[in-house]
Amino acid sequence: MLDTLDTMTSHQTTQTMKPATAAKKLGVYLEATPAEFQEGVVSRAELNALQTDPPEWLQELRRNGPHPRPVVASKLGVSIAGLARGGVTDALTTEQIDALKQDAPEWLQKERATQAEVRKEAVRIKERDAARAAERTDRD
């Protein structure tokens, strides 16, 4: 049995992911990545290398975009659903995001306010739960 376990662990395969998963983990818009990135698979080691020493194309994408919706939402301070409600369904460049911030359309102001309330409520619930846990600890 021990020999079987040794054999199983010595033949570990390299963990790989689809380009879409790797792009998501890197915070970049897949369609804007180089063709060789989009068409291949990415190993865990390659992903780590891209994160620790990003090539010029990755630095450029992170700096100027186009950015995927989660990044756009974060940069604007709104939720992804808030983006959709505001009519933003595509990736945006940093320049487009900056222009939106500058223009501050009504939908963006409303979604930022909503997001601020959501964060405030999350903090309140976390504090309430911590207080309840402390009370339980004190009783025990």
Side-chain angles (χ1 to χ4, degrees):
M1 180 67 177
L2 191 53
D3 290 336
T4 307
L5 287 175
D6 288 341
T7 305
M8 288 170 52
T9 54
S10 67
H11 287 87
Q12 287 183 335
T13 57
T14 303
Q15 200 177 22
T16 60
M17 61 194 81
K18 294 177 182 176
T21 304
K24 188 174 185 176
K25 289 180 182 287
L26 293 169
V28 295
Y29 185 58
L30 177 62
E31 286 76 9
T33 62
E36 57 271 14
F37 181 87
Q38 292 181 40
E39 295 163 3
V41 293
V42 180
S43 71
R44 180 69 59 194
E46 289 168 331
L47 178 69
N48 290 340
L50 287 169
Q51 290 173 322
T52 55
D53 187 22
E56 182 56 39
W57 65 264
L58 181 54
Q59 292 176 39
E60 177 67 21
L61 272 180
R62 286 178 167 168
R63 191 172 31 253
N64 298 316
H67 303 286
R69 287 183 308 142
V71 173
V72 173
S74 176
K75 287 179 179 280
L76 289 174
V78 300
S79 66
I80 295 173
L83 279 181
R85 285 190 293 271
V88 178
T89 56
D90 296 327
L92 297 179
T93 63
T94 300
E95 187 177 322
Q96 291 169 314
I97 293 167
D98 290 344
L100 265 175
K101 285 179 180 177
Q102 190 72 28
D103 294 344
E106 188 178 328
W107 72 265
L108 181 56
Q109 294 174 42
K110 181 181 174 196
E111 291 300 334
R112 281 182 162 172
T114 299
Q115 193 66 12
E117 287 299 316
V118 167
R119 285 190 200 104
K120 211 160 77 174
E121 179 65 5
V123 168
R124 186 190 70 75
I125 290 170
K126 186 176 181 179
E127 289 171 351
R128 180 201 68 194
D129 291 349
R132 287 180 179 172
E135 287 174 18
R136 280 194 300 273
T137 303
D138 289 347
R139 282 191 303 235
D140 296 343

